[in-house]
Amino acid sequence: MRRFVPLFCAPLLLAAPALNATDLPGTRFNHGDWELACDNTRTCRAAGYSVDGAELGISVLLTRPAGPGQPVTAQVRIGRYDDNPVVDKLPRNFQLTLRINATPQGAVAFDSDSLLGELNKAQTQALLAALTRKSSIEFVRKGNTWALSDTGAAAVLLKMDEFQGRLGTPGALIRPGTQPESKALPPLPGLVVKPGATAPARPGDKTWVKQQGPALLKALRATLKSDETDYCPDLTEPDPSVEEAPTATRLTDTRLLVATRCWSGAYNVGYGYWIVNQAPPYQPVLVTTQGSEYEAGTITATQKGRGLGDCWSMEEWKWDGKGFVLAHATSTGMCRLIAPGGAWDLPTRVGLGGGE
């Protein structure tokens, strides 16, 4: 069976100002110990980590909205996944000193519940400058050191500048220049999806898939890509006596949502969802093969990056009366044991106001 493959591997695309948030794709990019997520509003988030397997793990999140003159803000999270004798003994409120190339840059305040701190403007600028070249970046307290890796940071920040149209402007992080700051692409509003009405179930809906027979299953299989030929085994040999047999849920008077298990691994299961006509030709429209559940007009996909549960990906599609629109897509960052459930929220698709 297939094992979960991390979602959101869309290529980096430069967006034209005429696009709106519905059209603009988000992007993900990672290199070394750093990763980038930019969403459909053109807000970008870059996350960096301590080296994989570090005893004292730490992660930094850099966030920058789109538009001329927008600043970068920085947060830092101390890793705590299992028991750690150093982290477990930290007091309720404490500070770590940011040290760059052995030079102190001031203290960062934390509390032992969230283990989350914020860098001030001067610390953020010092960090950004360090990330453009080989540097030693450490957070220290009483002989303990949390080291942030700079491997891959410059490549990730370059991609951030590229996505936001900042290359060659004074505000670029990696390749600043003399082009006007107004060259930076403007922000876009978040996506708005107006929920569509769904029709009530009918008595024959539960047996509809079985009644359609092989013709329906063949039509559904035809929507899969050539590298997904081993997906969705129940479309080839359905067994109506088992729970995994394809099911149908009514959407409108003439259209239904068909769902079936498409793949499974050690800690994830993915379901396929298709919009189909009730009567032939079925004209199936595949929504996703990564789904987890459908309820009240919403398809969700929630998948672990690995069994430890320290990294996740989430997607959500909303029914608007005509089809399912990808309304929200995010991940929690690299699998680095920073926190159970993941370190950050790194969306590539957001709704109005940055939420769902």
Side-chain angles (χ1 to χ4, degrees), residues 12 27-38 44-49 60 62 131 150-164 167 173-174 334:
L12 184 69
T27 189
R28 287 196 180 277
F29 173 79
N30 65 80
H31 188 67
D33 297 313
W34 280 76
E35 64 184 325
L36 175 70
C38 297
C44 288
R45 298 167 179 87
Y49 303 84
V60 164
L62 305 175
L131 293 174
D150 63 354
T151 302
V156 162
L157 296 181
L158 178 64
K159 290 294 186 182
M160 179 191 287
D161 285 341
E162 182 183 7
F163 187 89
Q164 295 185 327
L167 293 177
L173 300 176
I174 299 298
M334 290 185 182

Coordinates of all heavy atoms in Angstrom, one line a residue, residues 12 27-38 44-49 60 62 131 150-164 167 173-174 334:
L12 N 7.1 27.0 -7.6 CA 7.0 28.4 -7.4 C 6.7 29.2 -8.7 O 7.2 29.0 -9.7 CB 8.4 28.9 -6.9 CG 8.5 30.4 -6.5 CD1 7.8 30.6 -5.2 CD2 10.0 30.8 -6.4
T27 N 2.8 28.5 -2.7 CA 4.0 27.7 -3.0 C 4.6 27.2 -1.8 O 4.5 27.8 -0.7 CB 4.9 28.6 -3.8 OG1 6.0 27.8 -4.3 CG2 5.5 29.7 -3.0
R28 N 5.3 26.1 -1.9 CA 6.2 25.6 -0.9 C 7.6 25.3 -1.5 O 7.7 24.9 -2.7 CB 5.6 24.3 -0.3 CG 4.4 24.5 0.6 CD 4.1 23.3 1.4 NE 2.9 23.7 2.2 CZ 3.0 24.4 3.4 NH1 4.1 24.8 3.9 NH2 1.9 24.6 4.0
F29 N 8.6 25.5 -0.7 CA 10.0 25.3 -1.1 C 10.8 25.0 0.1 O 10.6 25.6 1.2 CB 10.5 26.5 -1.8 CG 12.0 26.5 -2.1 CD1 12.4 25.7 -3.2 CD2 12.9 27.1 -1.3 CE1 13.8 25.7 -3.5 CE2 14.3 27.0 -1.6 CZ 14.7 26.3 -2.7
N30 N 11.7 24.0 0.0 CA 12.5 23.7 1.2 C 14.0 23.4 0.7 O 14.2 22.9 -0.4 CB 12.0 22.6 2.0 CG 12.0 21.3 1.3 OD1 13.0 20.6 1.2 ND2 10.8 20.9 0.8
H31 N 14.9 23.8 1.5 CA 16.3 23.6 1.2 C 17.0 23.4 2.6 O 17.0 24.3 3.4 CB 16.9 24.7 0.4 CG 18.3 24.4 -0.1 ND1 18.5 23.4 -1.1 CD2 19.5 25.0 0.1 CE1 19.8 23.4 -1.3 NE2 20.4 24.4 -0.6
G32 N 17.8 22.4 2.7 CA 18.5 22.2 4.0 C 17.6 22.1 5.2 O 16.6 21.3 5.2
D33 N 17.8 23.0 6.1 CA 17.0 23.0 7.4 C 16.0 24.2 7.4 O 15.5 24.5 8.4 CB 18.0 23.2 8.6 CG 18.9 22.0 8.7 OD1 18.4 20.9 8.7 OD2 20.1 22.2 8.9
W34 N 15.7 24.7 6.2 CA 14.8 25.8 6.1 C 13.7 25.5 5.0 O 13.9 24.7 4.1 CB 15.5 27.1 5.7 CG 16.2 27.7 6.8 CD1 17.3 27.4 7.4 CD2 15.7 28.9 7.6 NE1 17.6 28.2 8.5 CE2 16.6 29.1 8.6 CE3 14.6 29.7 7.4 CZ2 16.4 30.2 9.5 CZ3 14.4 30.7 8.3 CH2 15.3 31.0 9.3
E35 N 12.5 26.1 5.2 CA 11.4 25.9 4.3 C 10.6 27.1 4.2 O 10.7 28.0 5.0 CB 10.5 24.7 4.8 CG 9.8 25.0 6.1 CD 9.0 23.8 6.6 OE1 8.4 23.1 5.7 OE2 8.9 23.6 7.8
L36 N 9.9 27.2 3.1 CA 9.1 28.4 2.7 C 7.7 28.0 2.4 O 7.4 27.0 1.7 CB 9.7 29.2 1.5 CG 8.9 30.4 1.0 CD1 9.0 31.5 2.0 CD2 9.5 30.8 -0.4
A37 N 6.7 28.8 2.9 CA 5.3 28.6 2.5 C 4.7 30.0 2.2 O 4.8 30.9 3.1 CB 4.5 28.0 3.6
C38 N 4.3 30.3 1.0 CA 3.6 31.5 0.6 C 2.2 31.2 0.2 O 1.9 30.2 -0.5 CB 4.4 32.2 -0.5 SG 6.1 32.7 -0.1
C44 N 4.2 35.5 3.0 CA 5.2 34.4 3.0 C 5.7 34.1 4.5 O 5.8 35.0 5.3 CB 6.4 34.7 2.1 SG 6.0 34.6 0.4
R45 N 5.9 32.8 4.7 CA 6.5 32.4 6.0 C 7.6 31.5 5.8 O 7.5 30.5 5.0 CB 5.4 31.7 6.8 CG 4.2 32.6 7.2 CD 3.0 31.8 7.7 NE 1.9 32.7 8.0 CZ 0.9 33.1 7.2 NH1 1.0 32.6 5.9 NH2 0.0 33.9 7.6
A46 N 8.7 31.8 6.4 CA 9.9 30.9 6.3 C 10.3 30.4 7.7 O 10.3 31.1 8.6 CB 11.1 31.7 5.7
A47 N 10.5 29.1 7.7 CA 10.8 28.4 9.0 C 12.1 27.7 8.9 O 12.4 27.1 8.0 CB 9.7 27.4 9.4
G48 N 12.9 27.9 10.0 CA 14.2 27.3 10.1 C 14.3 26.5 11.3 O 13.6 26.8 12.3
Y49 N 15.2 25.5 11.4 CA 15.2 24.6 12.5 C 16.7 24.3 12.9 O 17.6 24.6 12.2 CB 14.6 23.2 12.1 CG 13.2 23.4 11.6 CD1 12.9 23.7 10.2 CD2 12.1 23.2 12.4 CE1 11.6 23.9 9.8 CE2 10.8 23.3 12.0 CZ 10.6 23.7 10.6 OH 9.3 23.8 10.2
V60 N 12.7 28.8 14.2 CA 12.4 30.2 14.0 C 11.4 30.4 12.9 O 11.6 29.7 11.8 CB 13.7 31.0 13.8 CG1 13.3 32.4 13.2 CG2 14.5 31.2 15.0
L62 N 9.8 33.2 10.3 CA 9.9 34.6 9.7 C 8.6 34.8 8.9 O 8.3 34.0 8.0 CB 11.1 34.8 8.9 CG 12.5 34.4 9.5 CD1 13.6 34.6 8.5 CD2 12.7 35.4 10.7
L131 N 21.6 35.3 8.2 CA 21.1 34.2 7.4 C 21.6 34.4 5.9 O 21.4 33.4 5.2 CB 19.6 34.1 7.5 CG 19.1 33.7 8.9 CD1 17.5 33.8 8.9 CD2 19.5 32.3 9.2
D150 N 21.7 27.5 9.8 CA 21.5 28.5 8.7 C 21.6 27.8 7.3 O 21.4 28.4 6.3 CB 22.6 29.5 8.7 CG 24.0 29.0 8.5 OD1 24.2 27.7 8.5 OD2 25.0 29.8 8.5
T151 N 21.7 26.5 7.3 CA 21.8 25.7 6.0 C 20.5 25.8 5.3 O 19.4 25.4 5.7 CB 22.1 24.2 6.3 OG1 23.3 24.1 7.0 CG2 22.2 23.5 5.0
G152 N 20.5 26.4 4.1 CA 19.4 26.5 3.2 C 18.6 27.8 3.4 O 17.7 28.2 2.6
A153 N 19.0 28.6 4.4 CA 18.2 29.9 4.7 C 18.3 30.9 3.5 O 17.3 31.4 3.1 CB 18.8 30.5 5.9
A154 N 19.5 31.1 2.9 CA 19.6 32.1 1.9 C 18.8 31.7 0.7 O 18.1 32.5 0.0 CB 21.1 32.2 1.5
A155 N 18.8 30.4 0.3 CA 17.9 29.9 -0.8 C 16.5 30.2 -0.6 O 15.7 30.6 -1.5 CB 18.2 28.5 -1.1
V156 N 16.0 29.9 0.7 CA 14.6 30.1 1.0 C 14.2 31.5 1.0 O 13.2 31.9 0.5 CB 14.3 29.4 2.4 CG1 13.0 29.9 3.0 CG2 14.3 27.9 2.3
L157 N 15.1 32.4 1.5 CA 14.8 33.8 1.6 C 14.8 34.4 0.1 O 14.0 35.3 -0.2 CB 15.7 34.6 2.5 CG 15.7 34.2 3.9 CD1 16.7 35.0 4.8 CD2 14.2 34.3 4.5
L158 N 15.6 33.9 -0.7 CA 15.6 34.3 -2.1 C 14.3 34.0 -2.8 O 13.7 34.8 -3.5 CB 16.8 33.7 -2.9 CG 16.9 34.0 -4.4 CD1 17.2 35.5 -4.6 CD2 18.0 33.1 -5.0
K159 N 13.8 32.8 -2.5 CA 12.5 32.4 -3.1 C 11.4 33.3 -2.5 O 10.4 33.6 -3.2 CB 12.2 30.9 -2.7 CG 13.1 29.9 -3.5 CD 12.8 29.9 -5.0 CE 13.6 28.9 -5.7 NZ 13.4 28.9 -7.2
M160 N 11.5 33.7 -1.3 CA 10.5 34.6 -0.7 C 10.5 35.9 -1.4 O 9.4 36.4 -1.8 CB 10.8 34.8 0.8 CG 9.8 35.8 1.5 SD 10.3 36.3 3.1 CE 9.9 34.8 4.0
D161 N 11.7 36.5 -1.6 CA 11.8 37.7 -2.4 C 11.2 37.6 -3.8 O 10.5 38.5 -4.3 CB 13.3 38.1 -2.5 CG 13.8 38.7 -1.2 OD1 13.0 39.1 -0.3 OD2 15.0 38.8 -1.0
E162 N 11.5 36.5 -4.4 CA 11.0 36.2 -5.8 C 9.5 36.2 -5.8 O 8.9 36.8 -6.7 CB 11.6 34.9 -6.3 CG 11.3 34.6 -7.8 CD 11.8 33.3 -8.2 OE1 12.4 32.5 -7.4 OE2 11.7 33.0 -9.4
F163 N 8.9 35.4 -4.9 CA 7.5 35.3 -4.9 C 6.8 36.6 -4.7 O 5.7 36.9 -5.3 CB 7.1 34.3 -3.8 CG 5.6 33.9 -3.8 CD1 5.1 32.9 -4.6 CD2 4.7 34.6 -3.1 CE1 3.8 32.5 -4.6 CE2 3.3 34.3 -3.1 CZ 2.9 33.3 -3.9
Q164 N 7.4 37.4 -3.8 CA 6.7 38.7 -3.5 C 7.2 39.9 -4.4 O 6.8 41.0 -4.2 CB 7.0 39.1 -2.1 CG 6.4 38.1 -1.1 CD 6.6 38.5 0.4 OE1 7.6 39.1 0.7 NE2 5.6 38.2 1.2
L167 N 12.8 41.2 -5.7 CA 14.2 41.1 -6.2 C 14.6 42.5 -6.8 O 13.9 43.1 -7.6 CB 14.3 40.0 -7.2 CG 14.1 38.6 -6.7 CD1 14.2 37.6 -7.9 CD2 15.2 38.3 -5.7
L173 N 15.6 40.8 0.7 CA 16.4 40.2 1.8 C 17.8 39.7 1.3 O 18.8 39.7 2.0 CB 15.7 39.1 2.5 CG 14.4 39.5 3.1 CD1 13.7 38.3 3.7 CD2 14.6 40.5 4.2
I174 N 17.8 39.2 0.0 CA 19.0 38.5 -0.5 C 19.7 39.3 -1.6 O 20.9 39.5 -1.6 CB 18.7 37.1 -1.0 CG1 18.1 36.3 0.2 CG2 19.9 36.4 -1.6 CD1 19.1 36.1 1.3
M334 N 8.4 21.1 9.0 CA 9.2 19.9 8.9 C 9.0 19.0 10.2 O 8.6 19.5 11.2 CB 10.7 20.3 8.8 CG 11.1 20.9 7.5 SD 12.9 21.2 7.5 CE 13.1 22.0 5.9

